[in-house]
């Protein structure tokens, strides 16, 4: 009965009906109030950033060694560097800078399958900090409190892809006063420090643009997901990967006709998302994934299954209004929950998602565009100004412990 009811709703409301309903579905809606204003802020003139010039072994040579770093989900560290080099917020005079940026690519150390190895990242980061603190006076006056680092690892500056080991490591001690710009975000977690800026993972804008289909294409898929449900290589007993949430999706809904879910990754993946009403965005090893970006860009309502997640640019993007949140323990009731959402609520979420400013904020395009993810990062940094006077240390004062951390991290890089 539930399937029949939703087929009827899909036909009447989501595109198989008359032109009037299609027009209604395609209208956009601006976010009301302060969130919309923040999303459209222009950071130019509100801050100045000094970019340290480092030896190429910290960035360009890593990329030359493995160009795959340009296309994986951690590539924000590379594109942020390129953006800042030509950005109007860049200053060549460090004495007038509000923020200092150290261009290192700690995730550009890939396995044969393209996954980043985090084991050299702490040593690389320490080496870069030692370099800038020895050659410029600016790190030492605040011990990094007016510096920011892009750390798009699974668990940010904890530098490990397994949560238990990331928690055991904690944030690299030398980064504990800096502002971290990272994809990882989870409340009350040791790998997310107060004041961090949570950003979307990198998803290739040109590739997604090439797969756009007509806006009036009916959304005939109710729930869509492609990806792993079990990670048999790293979690052979099951239950640890995605805290069991993905396994619960598969076991409960693999035969449900409302759910188009599979481990296959078809060539029509992007097109299929544009034909779906809801796109599942469950946690994996970490709470975040590129599906969140893809869902927003393609107007598919993200169903966020990741308890305590901190979402990208949460002060500018009204995630509660554009998405659906489902607790991990409630996954077995996902069908009941989604089919109970009134059509008018779904239509409003779709109108908000259709707003171009929402899509731009999730992307790192080349070249940059007003309101894109680069500018949202700068807006986040600008909102943290002016720095509190207490961040400036007295002559000779030290706060950070340079010898703290695992012994392996202290070896030269």
């Amino acid at each position: 009965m539930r399937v029949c009811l939703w087929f009827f709703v899909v036909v009447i409301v989501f595109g198989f009906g008359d032109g009037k309903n299609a027009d209604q579905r395609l209208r956009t809606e601006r976010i009301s109030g302060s969130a919309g204003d923040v999303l459209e802020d222009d950071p130019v003139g509100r801050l100045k950033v000094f970019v340290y010039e480092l030896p190429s072994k910290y960035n360009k040579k890593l990329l030359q060694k493995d160009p795959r770093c340009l296309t994986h989900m951690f590539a924000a560290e590379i594109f942020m560097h390129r953006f800042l080099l030509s950005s109007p917020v860049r200053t060549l005079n460090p004495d007038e800078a509000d923020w200092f940026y150290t261009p290192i690519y700690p995730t550009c150390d890939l396995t044969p399958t393209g996954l980043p190895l985090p084991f050299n990242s702490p040593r690389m980061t320490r080496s870069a900090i030692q370099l800038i603190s020895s050659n410029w006076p600016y790190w030492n006056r605040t011990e990094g409190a007016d510096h920011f680092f892009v750390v798009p690892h699974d668990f940010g500056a904890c530098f490990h892809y397994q949560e238990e080991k990331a928690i055991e490591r904690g944030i690299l001690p030398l980064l504990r006063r800096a502002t971290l710009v990272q994809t990882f975000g989870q409340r009350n977690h040791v790998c997310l420090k107060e004041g961090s800026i949570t950003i979307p993972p990198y998803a290739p804008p040109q590739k997604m643009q090439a797969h756009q289909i007509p806006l009036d294409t009916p959304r005939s898929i109710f729930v869509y997901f492609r990806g792993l449900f079990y990670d048999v290589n790293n979690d052979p007993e099951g239950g640890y990967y995605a805290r069991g949430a993905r396994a619960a999706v598969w076991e409960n809904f693999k035969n449900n006709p409302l759910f188009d879910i599979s481990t296959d990754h078809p060539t029509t993946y992007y097109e299929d998302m544009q034909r779906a009403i809801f796109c599942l965005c469950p946690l994996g090893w970490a709470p975040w994934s590129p599906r969140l970006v893809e869902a927003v860009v393609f107007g598919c309502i993200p169903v966020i299954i990741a308890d305590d997640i901190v979402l990208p640019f949460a002060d500018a993007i009204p995630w509660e209004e554009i998405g659906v949140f489902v607790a991990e323990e409630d996954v077995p009731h996902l069908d009941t929950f989604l089919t109970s959402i009134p059509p008018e609520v779904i239509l409003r979420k779709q109108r908000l998602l259709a707003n171009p400013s929402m899509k731009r904020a999730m992307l790192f395009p080349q070249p940059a565009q007003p309101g894109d993810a680069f500018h949202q990062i700068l807006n986040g940094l600008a909102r943290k100004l002016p720095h509190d006077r207490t961040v400036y240390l007295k002559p000779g004062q030290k706060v950070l412990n340079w010898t703290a951390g695992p012994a392996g991290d202290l070896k030269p890089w």
Side-chain angles (χ1 to χ4, degrees), residues 202-234:
Y202 178 78
Q206 290 82 3
K207 182 179 178 181
M208 288 192 287
Q209 180 66 35
H211 288 265
Q212 291 277 0
I213 62 177
L215 290 174
D216 59 354
T217 301
R219 291 192 177 267
S220 54
I221 301 170
F222 186 55
V223 179
Y224 187 75
F225 176 80
R226 291 295 184 272
L228 291 177
F229 298 98
Y230 299 91
D231 188 341
V232 294
N233 293 323
N234 298 299

Side-chain angles (χ1 to χ4, degrees), residues 95-136:
D95 291 321
E96 68 177 18
D98 301 296
W99 288 99
F100 296 81
Y101 168 65
T102 307
I104 57 176
Y105 302 167
T107 66
C108 193
D109 182 12
L110 305 183
T111 67
T113 58
L115 298 175
L117 290 168
F119 309 114
N120 289 325
S121 301
R123 294 164 51 221
M124 178 199 299
T125 305
R126 282 179 56 89
S127 174
I129 293 172
Q130 287 171 335
L131 180 67
I132 63 174
S133 65
S134 300
N135 289 277
W136 290 273

Side-chain angles (χ1 to χ4, degrees), residues 104-343:
I104 57 176
Y105 302 167
T107 66
C108 193
D109 182 12
L110 305 183
T111 67
T113 58
L115 298 175
L117 290 168
F119 309 114
N120 289 325
S121 301
R123 294 164 51 221
M124 178 199 299
T125 305
R126 282 179 56 89
S127 174
I129 293 172
Q130 287 171 335
L131 180 67
I132 63 174
S133 65
S134 300
N135 289 277
W136 290 273
Y138 307 102
W139 174 275
N140 297 318
R141 69 183 184 180
T142 66
E143 289 201 315
D146 53 357
H147 288 56
F148 69 93
F149 290 77
V150 180
V151 281
H153 268 290
D154 291 279
F155 290 94
C158 288
F159 293 131
H160 209 286
Y161 55 86
Q162 292 180 343
E163 185 172 17
E164 287 183 354
K165 293 182 179 178
I167 291 172
E168 181 182 335
R169 288 186 52 86
I171 292 173
L172 187 72
L174 291 187
L175 292 178
R176 289 179 182 169
R177 285 174 61 84
T179 289
L180 303 181
V181 178
Q182 60 185 67
T183 44
F184 173 75
Q186 183 172 316
R187 289 186 291 273
N188 305 313
H189 199 287
V190 299
C191 298
L192 179 68
K193 67 188 289 287
E194 185 178 357
S196 297
I197 297 174
T198 309
I199 64 172
Y202 178 78
Q206 290 82 3
K207 182 179 178 181
M208 288 192 287
Q209 180 66 35
H211 288 265
Q212 291 277 0
I213 62 177
L215 290 174
D216 59 354
T217 301
R219 291 192 177 267
S220 54
I221 301 170
F222 186 55
V223 179
Y224 187 75
F225 176 80
R226 291 295 184 272
L228 291 177
F229 298 98
Y230 299 91
D231 188 341
V232 294
N233 293 323
N234 298 299
D235 182 29
E237 296 182 4
Y240 184 69
Y241 176 63
R243 297 196 283 259
R246 292 196 186 201
V249 169
W250 178 250
E251 297 303 332
N252 284 279
F253 304 112
K254 58 187 175 185
N255 297 317
N256 189 315
L258 292 179
F259 284 67
D260 187 345
I261 58 176
S262 171
T263 57
D264 297 334
H265 203 288
T267 56
T268 57
Y269 173 69
Y270 284 154
E271 289 83 355
D272 293 342
M273 292 189 85
Q274 295 169 79
R275 296 186 180 97
I277 297 170
F278 295 106
C279 288
L280 300 186
C281 300
L283 74 161
W285 285 111
W288 59 272
S289 82
R291 288 179 191 83
L292 196 64
V293 178
E294 294 160 351
V296 171
V297 169
F298 291 132
C300 186
I301 298 170
V303 179
I304 299 160
I305 307 170
D307 294 353
D308 295 321
I309 189 172
V310 176
L311 290 159
F313 309 133
D315 56 349
I317 296 177
W319 290 103
E320 294 284 350
E321 295 186 50
I322 66 173
V324 173
F325 290 79
V326 177
E328 293 165 24
E329 66 177 8
D330 292 336
V331 167
H333 311 293
L334 191 56
D335 57 342
T336 302
F337 184 71
L338 294 179
T339 55
S340 68
I341 300 175

Side-chain angles (χ1 to χ4, degrees), residues 29 31-32 35 318-323 325 345 348-349 352:
E29 185 170 331
I31 308 157
S32 60
W319 290 103
E320 294 284 350
E321 295 186 50
I322 66 173
F325 290 79
V345 173
R348 181 170 188 271
K349 291 180 184 293
L352 286 169

